[in-house]
């Protein structure tokens, strides 16, 4: 399978409006610190699935030449993870959307003017799409009551995407996501900045070690990291348009 990080930014994106820090200035100059909001594209030889649809989706579809998707999976009902879905409007109708019931209820209430085809999925129950097996697993991301990460398997290959998550991943999820070939992990800030809803970069590295991830890439990154070219010498930071062949 092929995994593309369409957007590696946090809810504000980088540059942050009005900010002149070195990272935002690098982003303004077109450096890899420029981060659109969260979306991941998963592809097989049978099709394309989007994990979340951030508000920058139109731009991401144009930049990555995405003209059709075979499904959308939503991890939770935060603005930066679903509002770009309306970018499909008049481009593609009858989109198949997947998620746990609480998430679909919330998002489809907001997107009431669109008519996607709804598929309610239970956590820990695998389902097939584009020849790949997807499993939603519980993560903690308060104040969201129920949020999920996504595990994607193809034969003996495994990709785990935490989406937005605190470090205390529930035991049942930890058991499921052991030894992934690739871990795409929420690491919103360096440990010098305090946040509760997400992992910082140290916690993300600890999770990767705990589950024995073969490869790790950090996403949902804020402007609190140093400019990408500098910080990525030390940390496995993702960047927009980064591709993995698993
Ligand atoms: Zn987010
Ligand atoms: Zn900044
Ligand atoms: Zn969130």
């Amino acid at each position: 399978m092929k995994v593309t990080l369409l957007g590696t930014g946090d809810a504000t994106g980088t540059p942050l409006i009005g900010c002149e820090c070195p990272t935002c200035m690098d982003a303004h100059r077109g450096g890899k610190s420029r981060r659109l909001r969260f979306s991941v594209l998963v592809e097989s030889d049978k099709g394309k699935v989007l994990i979340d649809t951030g508000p920058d989706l139109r731009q991401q579809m144009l930049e990555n030449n995405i003209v059709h998707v075979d499904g959308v999976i939503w991890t939770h009902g935060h603005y930066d993870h679903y509002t770009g879905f309306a970018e499909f409007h008049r481009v593609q109708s009858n989109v198949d959307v997947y998620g746990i019931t609480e998430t679909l209820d919330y998002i489809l209430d907001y997107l009431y003017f669109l008519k996607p085809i709804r598929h309610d999925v239970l956590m820990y129950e695998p389902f097939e799409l584009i020849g790949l097996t997807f499993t939603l697993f519980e993560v903690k991301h308060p104040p969201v009551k129920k949020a999920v990460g996504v595990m994607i398997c193809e034969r003996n290959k495994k990709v785990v995407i935490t989406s937005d998550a605190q470090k205390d991943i529930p035991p049942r999820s930890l058991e499921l996501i052991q030894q992934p070939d690739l871990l795409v992990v929420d690491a919103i800030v360096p440990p010098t900045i305090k946040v509760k809803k997400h992992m910082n970069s140290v916690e993300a590295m600890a999770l990767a070690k705990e589950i024995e991830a073969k490869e790790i890439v950090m996403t949902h990154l804020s402007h609190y990291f140093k400019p990408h070219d500098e910080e990525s010498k030390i940390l496995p930071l993702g960047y927009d348009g980064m591709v993995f062949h698993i």
Side-chain angles (χ1 to χ4, degrees), residues 156-210:
N156 61 346
K157 296 293 182 183
K158 184 195 271 195
V159 172
V160 168
I161 302 171
T162 64
S163 190
D164 291 8
Q166 285 182 325
K167 66 176 189 314
D168 59 336
I169 309 262
R172 186 173 176 189
S173 297
L174 277 180
E175 201 177 307
L176 182 77
I177 64 175
Q178 291 294 316
Q179 297 184 321
D181 295 277
L182 174 66
L183 172 67
V184 182
V185 65
D186 174 5
I188 193 169
V189 288
T192 46
I193 308 286
K194 296 294 167 218
V195 289
K196 286 192 177 146
K197 295 189 227 174
H198 302 264
M199 281 177 266
N200 64 39
S201 54
V202 170
E203 291 164 342
M205 290 304 281
L207 174 66
K209 194 173 176 197
E210 182 178 359

Side-chain angles (χ1 to χ4, degrees), residues 76 78 80-81 141 164 198 220:
H76 65 297
H78 273 164
D80 56 317
H81 291 258
H141 182 49
D164 291 8
H198 302 264
H220 211 280

Side-chain angles (χ1 to χ4, degrees), residues 6 11 24 29 61 92 96 103 112 235:
L6 299 179
C24 287
R29 287 190 297 269
M61 292 180 83
Q92 184 181 342
D96 290 286
T103 302
Y112 65 91
L235 292 173

Side-chain angles (χ1 to χ4, degrees), residues 36-57:
L36 300 176
R37 269 71 63 83
F38 188 93
S39 281
V40 178
L41 180 69
V42 178
E43 292 175 83
S44 71
D45 50 9
K46 295 197 176 76
K48 293 177 165 62
V49 168
L50 282 172
I51 313 290
D52 288 336
T53 53
D56 300 310
L57 194 61

